[in-house]
Tab-separated table of all heavy atoms in Angstrom:
chain	number	residue	atom	x	y	z
A	134	PRO	N	-9.787	-31.177	-3.056
A	134	PRO	CA	-9.514	-29.749	-3.232
A	134	PRO	C	-10.465	-28.770	-2.562
A	134	PRO	O	-11.680	-29.105	-2.433
A	134	PRO	CB	-9.641	-29.514	-4.678
A	134	PRO	CG	-9.552	-31.049	-5.299
A	134	PRO	CD	-10.174	-31.795	-4.222
A	135	VAL	N	-9.842	-27.741	-2.066
A	135	VAL	CA	-10.630	-26.693	-1.371
A	135	VAL	C	-10.447	-25.370	-2.133
A	135	VAL	O	-9.243	-24.913	-2.153
A	135	VAL	CB	-10.332	-26.536	0.093
A	135	VAL	CG1	-11.203	-25.441	0.731
A	135	VAL	CG2	-10.693	-27.886	0.811
A	136	ARG	N	-11.339	-24.768	-2.713
A	136	ARG	CA	-11.182	-23.532	-3.501
A	136	ARG	C	-10.941	-22.380	-2.564
A	136	ARG	O	-11.785	-22.198	-1.472
A	136	ARG	CB	-12.438	-23.193	-4.359
A	136	ARG	CG	-12.114	-22.097	-5.285
A	136	ARG	CD	-13.191	-21.869	-6.280
A	136	ARG	NE	-12.928	-20.794	-7.279
A	136	ARG	CZ	-12.143	-20.908	-8.312
A	136	ARG	NH1	-11.606	-21.991	-8.580
A	136	ARG	NH2	-11.902	-19.805	-9.052
A	137	LEU	N	-9.944	-21.541	-2.745
A	137	LEU	CA	-9.601	-20.414	-1.991
A	137	LEU	C	-10.676	-19.215	-2.326
A	137	LEU	O	-11.263	-19.227	-3.426
A	137	LEU	CB	-8.186	-19.878	-2.291
A	137	LEU	CG	-7.101	-20.860	-1.899
A	137	LEU	CD1	-5.797	-20.282	-2.293
A	137	LEU	CD2	-7.169	-21.196	-0.437
A	138	PRO	N	-10.968	-18.344	-1.399
A	138	PRO	CA	-11.906	-17.319	-1.582
A	138	PRO	C	-11.277	-16.405	-2.723
A	138	PRO	O	-10.097	-16.249	-2.877
A	138	PRO	CB	-11.990	-16.707	-0.283
A	138	PRO	CG	-10.770	-17.022	0.427
A	138	PRO	CD	-10.393	-18.451	0.110
A	139	ASP	N	-12.154	-15.784	-3.410
A	139	ASP	CA	-11.802	-14.889	-4.474
A	139	ASP	C	-11.257	-13.624	-3.875
A	139	ASP	O	-11.496	-13.216	-2.754
A	139	ASP	CB	-12.992	-14.498	-5.364
A	139	ASP	CG	-13.511	-15.577	-6.270
A	139	ASP	OD1	-12.694	-16.539	-6.539
A	139	ASP	OD2	-14.747	-15.593	-6.503
A	140	ALA	N	-10.240	-12.884	-4.666
A	140	ALA	CA	-9.729	-11.708	-4.110
A	140	ALA	C	-10.832	-10.556	-4.027
A	140	ALA	O	-11.789	-10.697	-4.817
A	140	ALA	CB	-8.709	-11.270	-5.097
A	141	PRO	N	-10.708	-9.692	-3.032
A	141	PRO	CA	-11.699	-8.645	-2.985
A	141	PRO	C	-11.752	-7.696	-4.155
A	141	PRO	O	-10.794	-7.569	-4.942
A	141	PRO	CB	-11.165	-7.874	-1.712
A	141	PRO	CG	-9.790	-8.064	-1.607
A	141	PRO	CD	-9.646	-9.555	-2.176
A	142	ALA	N	-12.975	-7.253	-4.518
A	142	ALA	CA	-13.069	-6.378	-5.618
A	142	ALA	C	-12.315	-5.060	-5.425
A	142	ALA	O	-12.235	-4.511	-4.297
A	142	ALA	CB	-14.548	-6.133	-5.968
A	143	PRO	N	-11.864	-4.368	-6.523
A	143	PRO	CA	-11.235	-3.115	-6.431
A	143	PRO	C	-12.131	-2.053	-5.888
A	143	PRO	O	-13.425	-2.239	-6.073
A	143	PRO	CB	-10.707	-2.836	-7.807
A	143	PRO	CG	-11.685	-3.685	-8.743
A	143	PRO	CD	-11.965	-4.877	-7.973
A	144	PRO	N	-11.653	-1.159	-5.163
A	144	PRO	CA	-12.613	-0.064	-4.665
A	144	PRO	C	-13.239	0.745	-5.708
A	144	PRO	O	-12.641	0.909	-6.735
A	144	PRO	CB	-11.571	0.744	-3.742
A	144	PRO	CG	-10.140	0.580	-4.376
A	144	PRO	CD	-10.161	-0.880	-4.899
A	145	GLU	N	-14.468	1.127	-5.292
A	145	GLU	CA	-15.123	2.080	-6.178
A	145	GLU	C	-14.472	3.371	-6.403
A	145	GLU	O	-13.944	3.915	-5.428
A	145	GLU	CB	-16.560	2.124	-5.828
A	145	GLU	CG	-17.475	0.886	-5.738
A	145	GLU	CD	-17.669	0.453	-7.193
A	145	GLU	OE1	-17.753	1.281	-8.119
A	145	GLU	OE2	-17.791	-0.744	-7.415
A	146	PRO	N	-14.591	4.103	-7.607
A	146	PRO	CA	-13.975	5.399	-7.646
A	146	PRO	C	-14.622	6.340	-6.736
A	146	PRO	O	-15.884	6.322	-6.562
A	146	PRO	CB	-14.203	5.756	-9.134
A	146	PRO	CG	-15.210	4.808	-9.517
A	146	PRO	CD	-15.183	3.444	-8.793
A	147	ASP	N	-13.875	7.241	-6.251
A	147	ASP	CA	-14.425	8.327	-5.319
A	147	ASP	C	-15.215	9.353	-6.145
A	147	ASP	O	-14.719	10.068	-6.969
A	147	ASP	CB	-13.261	8.965	-4.609
A	147	ASP	CG	-13.677	10.009	-3.547
A	147	ASP	OD1	-14.903	10.260	-3.528
A	147	ASP	OD2	-12.863	10.285	-2.674
A	148	PRO	N	-16.590	9.413	-5.853
A	148	PRO	CA	-17.466	10.396	-6.599
A	148	PRO	C	-16.944	11.790	-6.258
A	148	PRO	O	-17.391	12.654	-7.160
A	148	PRO	CB	-18.853	10.111	-6.077
A	148	PRO	CG	-18.520	9.576	-4.694
A	148	PRO	CD	-17.302	8.737	-4.848
A	149	ASP	N	-16.269	12.072	-5.302
A	149	ASP	CA	-15.906	13.516	-5.049
A	149	ASP	C	-14.551	13.937	-5.788
A	149	ASP	O	-14.231	15.069	-5.688
A	149	ASP	CB	-15.725	13.752	-3.528
A	149	ASP	CG	-17.008	13.490	-2.731
A	149	ASP	OD1	-17.995	13.839	-3.326
A	149	ASP	OD2	-16.949	12.957	-1.573
A	150	VAL	N	-14.028	12.973	-6.435
A	150	VAL	CA	-12.754	13.171	-7.110
A	150	VAL	C	-13.039	13.318	-8.697
A	150	VAL	O	-13.499	12.377	-9.243
A	150	VAL	CB	-11.729	12.110	-6.854
A	150	VAL	CG1	-10.450	12.426	-7.704
A	150	VAL	CG2	-11.341	12.074	-5.475
A	151	THR	N	-12.729	14.496	-9.180
A	151	THR	CA	-12.936	14.741	-10.685
A	151	THR	C	-11.807	14.021	-11.467
A	151	THR	O	-10.697	14.166	-11.296
A	151	THR	CB	-13.028	16.204	-10.940
A	151	THR	OG1	-13.991	16.850	-10.131
A	151	THR	CG2	-13.393	16.431	-12.437
A	152	PRO	N	-12.331	13.111	-12.341
A	152	PRO	CA	-11.306	12.390	-13.154
A	152	PRO	C	-10.649	13.398	-14.186
A	152	PRO	O	-11.226	14.299	-14.533
A	152	PRO	CB	-12.114	11.312	-13.893
A	152	PRO	CG	-13.498	11.936	-13.980
A	152	PRO	CD	-13.628	12.643	-12.645
A	153	PRO	N	-9.370	13.091	-14.434
A	153	PRO	CA	-8.637	14.129	-15.399
A	153	PRO	C	-9.452	14.062	-16.756
A	153	PRO	O	-9.922	13.066	-17.197
A	153	PRO	CB	-7.245	13.523	-15.487
A	153	PRO	CG	-7.334	12.064	-15.079
A	153	PRO	CD	-8.545	11.923	-14.099
A	154	ASP	N	-9.236	15.258	-17.429
A	154	ASP	CA	-9.868	15.385	-18.697
A	154	ASP	C	-8.843	14.718	-19.642
A	154	ASP	O	-7.793	15.073	-19.828
A	154	ASP	CB	-9.906	16.932	-19.117
A	154	ASP	CG	-10.529	17.087	-20.560
A	154	ASP	OD1	-10.956	16.185	-21.170
A	154	ASP	OD2	-10.805	18.357	-20.880
A	155	PRO	N	-9.419	13.649	-20.452
A	155	PRO	CA	-8.551	12.967	-21.343
A	155	PRO	C	-8.087	13.788	-22.491
A	155	PRO	O	-7.058	13.358	-23.183
A	155	PRO	CB	-9.509	11.770	-21.946
A	155	PRO	CG	-10.811	12.348	-21.690
A	155	PRO	CD	-10.800	13.150	-20.513
A	156	LYS	N	-8.589	15.016	-22.712
A	156	LYS	CA	-8.073	15.921	-23.740
A	156	LYS	C	-6.928	16.803	-23.214
A	156	LYS	O	-6.461	17.513	-24.125
A	156	LYS	CB	-9.283	16.668	-24.405
A	156	LYS	CG	-10.229	15.706	-25.107
A	156	LYS	CD	-11.386	16.686	-25.802
A	156	LYS	CE	-12.311	15.737	-26.597
A	156	LYS	NZ	-13.406	16.552	-27.255
A	157	GLU	N	-6.695	16.710	-21.991
A	157	GLU	CA	-5.527	17.531	-21.553
A	157	GLU	C	-4.284	16.903	-22.074
A	157	GLU	O	-4.194	15.705	-21.997
A	157	GLU	CB	-5.612	17.616	-19.995
A	157	GLU	CG	-6.828	18.326	-19.465
A	157	GLU	CD	-6.607	19.881	-19.619
A	157	GLU	OE1	-5.552	20.302	-19.947
A	157	GLU	OE2	-7.664	20.545	-19.392
A	158	GLU	N	-3.190	17.736	-22.218
A	158	GLU	CA	-1.890	17.232	-22.543
A	158	GLU	C	-1.390	16.380	-21.473
A	158	GLU	O	-1.554	16.748	-20.248
A	158	GLU	CB	-1.042	18.339	-22.862
A	158	GLU	CG	0.509	17.940	-23.184
A	158	GLU	CD	1.481	19.141	-23.391
A	158	GLU	OE1	0.957	20.232	-23.632
A	158	GLU	OE2	2.635	18.920	-23.594
A	159	VAL	N	-0.732	15.244	-21.688
A	159	VAL	CA	-0.212	14.448	-20.658
A	159	VAL	C	1.396	14.513	-20.689
A	159	VAL	O	1.963	14.988	-21.765
A	159	VAL	CB	-0.641	12.940	-20.761
A	159	VAL	CG1	-2.060	12.781	-20.701
A	159	VAL	CG2	-0.028	12.411	-22.037
A	160	THR	N	1.993	14.228	-19.525
A	160	THR	CA	3.428	14.307	-19.415
A	160	THR	C	4.083	13.067	-19.973
A	160	THR	O	3.754	11.842	-19.704
A	160	THR	CB	3.910	14.438	-17.927
A	160	THR	OG1	3.167	15.667	-17.366
A	160	THR	CG2	5.318	14.633	-17.815
A	161	LEU	N	5.054	13.290	-20.906
A	161	LEU	CA	5.718	12.167	-21.554
A	161	LEU	C	6.646	11.517	-20.466
A	161	LEU	O	7.282	12.278	-19.689
A	161	LEU	CB	6.452	12.657	-22.821
A	161	LEU	CG	5.587	13.107	-23.897
A	161	LEU	CD1	6.509	13.598	-25.090
A	161	LEU	CD2	4.755	12.034	-24.495
A	162	ASN	N	6.827	10.120	-20.539
A	162	ASN	CA	7.914	9.617	-19.708
A	162	ASN	C	9.332	9.890	-20.401
A	162	ASN	O	9.401	10.320	-21.523
A	162	ASN	CB	7.617	8.166	-19.369
A	162	ASN	CG	7.560	7.315	-20.698
A	162	ASN	OD1	8.390	7.384	-21.577
A	162	ASN	ND2	6.635	6.339	-20.696
A	163	ALA	N	10.354	9.381	-19.660
A	163	ALA	CA	11.684	9.789	-20.168
A	163	ALA	C	11.944	9.122	-21.639
A	163	ALA	O	12.463	9.684	-22.437
A	163	ALA	CB	12.775	9.139	-19.252
A	164	ALA	N	11.466	7.816	-21.734
A	164	ALA	CA	11.564	7.140	-23.029
A	164	ALA	C	10.784	7.865	-24.148
A	164	ALA	O	11.470	8.084	-25.282
A	164	ALA	CB	11.161	5.700	-23.014
A	165	GLU	N	9.575	8.290	-23.926
A	165	GLU	CA	8.907	9.070	-24.880
A	165	GLU	C	9.518	10.360	-25.263
A	165	GLU	O	9.474	10.750	-26.446
A	165	GLU	CB	7.414	9.096	-24.452
A	165	GLU	CG	6.586	7.833	-24.346
A	165	GLU	CD	5.232	8.007	-23.574
A	165	GLU	OE1	5.222	8.882	-22.598
A	165	GLU	OE2	4.325	7.283	-23.804
A	166	GLU	N	9.943	11.020	-24.292
A	166	GLU	CA	10.697	12.352	-24.489
A	166	GLU	C	11.881	12.126	-25.479
A	166	GLU	O	12.180	12.811	-26.351
A	166	GLU	CB	11.044	12.893	-23.226
A	166	GLU	CG	10.034	13.482	-22.356
A	166	GLU	CD	10.572	14.376	-21.202
A	166	GLU	OE1	11.749	14.208	-20.966
A	166	GLU	OE2	9.679	15.103	-20.575
A	167	CYS	N	12.599	11.035	-25.177
A	167	CYS	CA	13.789	10.684	-25.990
A	167	CYS	C	13.420	10.466	-27.378
A	167	CYS	O	14.123	11.005	-28.339
A	167	CYS	CB	14.542	9.560	-25.395
A	167	CYS	SG	16.098	9.096	-26.182
A	168	PHE	N	12.465	9.513	-27.646
A	168	PHE	CA	11.992	9.287	-28.873
A	168	PHE	C	11.344	10.552	-29.643
A	168	PHE	O	11.494	10.712	-30.849
A	168	PHE	CB	10.984	8.056	-29.028
A	168	PHE	CG	11.732	6.783	-28.591
A	168	PHE	CD1	11.401	6.199	-27.516
A	168	PHE	CD2	12.683	6.267	-29.540
A	168	PHE	CE1	11.960	4.860	-27.229
A	168	PHE	CE2	13.264	5.036	-29.186
A	168	PHE	CZ	12.862	4.371	-28.020
A	169	GLY	N	10.622	11.311	-28.772
A	169	GLY	CA	10.138	12.503	-29.432
A	169	GLY	C	11.172	13.382	-29.943
A	169	GLY	O	11.152	14.082	-30.970
A	170	GLY	N	12.321	13.451	-29.179
A	170	GLY	CA	13.525	14.335	-29.660
A	170	GLY	C	13.982	13.823	-31.014
A	170	GLY	O	14.481	14.555	-31.807
A	171	ASP	N	14.014	12.525	-31.223
A	171	ASP	CA	14.470	11.928	-32.448
A	171	ASP	C	13.519	12.327	-33.589
A	171	ASP	O	14.035	12.778	-34.670
A	171	ASP	CB	14.433	10.320	-32.433
A	171	ASP	CG	15.507	9.702	-31.504
A	171	ASP	OD1	16.439	10.456	-31.257
A	171	ASP	OD2	15.292	8.537	-31.196
């Protein structure tokens, strides 16, 4: 057996990009909107 090389690590987050505020309202997807209507 010969072990294949590991997959590359995911890229580091861009320090110049401000992550979204988790306390901001998020947009519901179509299914969530439907159940919200119920």
Side-chain angles (χ1 to χ4, degrees):
V135 176
R136 186 172 183 82
L137 298 176
D139 293 332
E145 293 292 330
D147 189 342
D149 296 328
V150 177
T151 303
D154 183 354
K156 292 184 179 180
E157 294 285 348
E158 179 180 351
V159 299
T160 301
L161 297 174
N162 60 39
E165 290 167 331
E166 284 187 353
C167 184
F168 290 115
D171 289 341

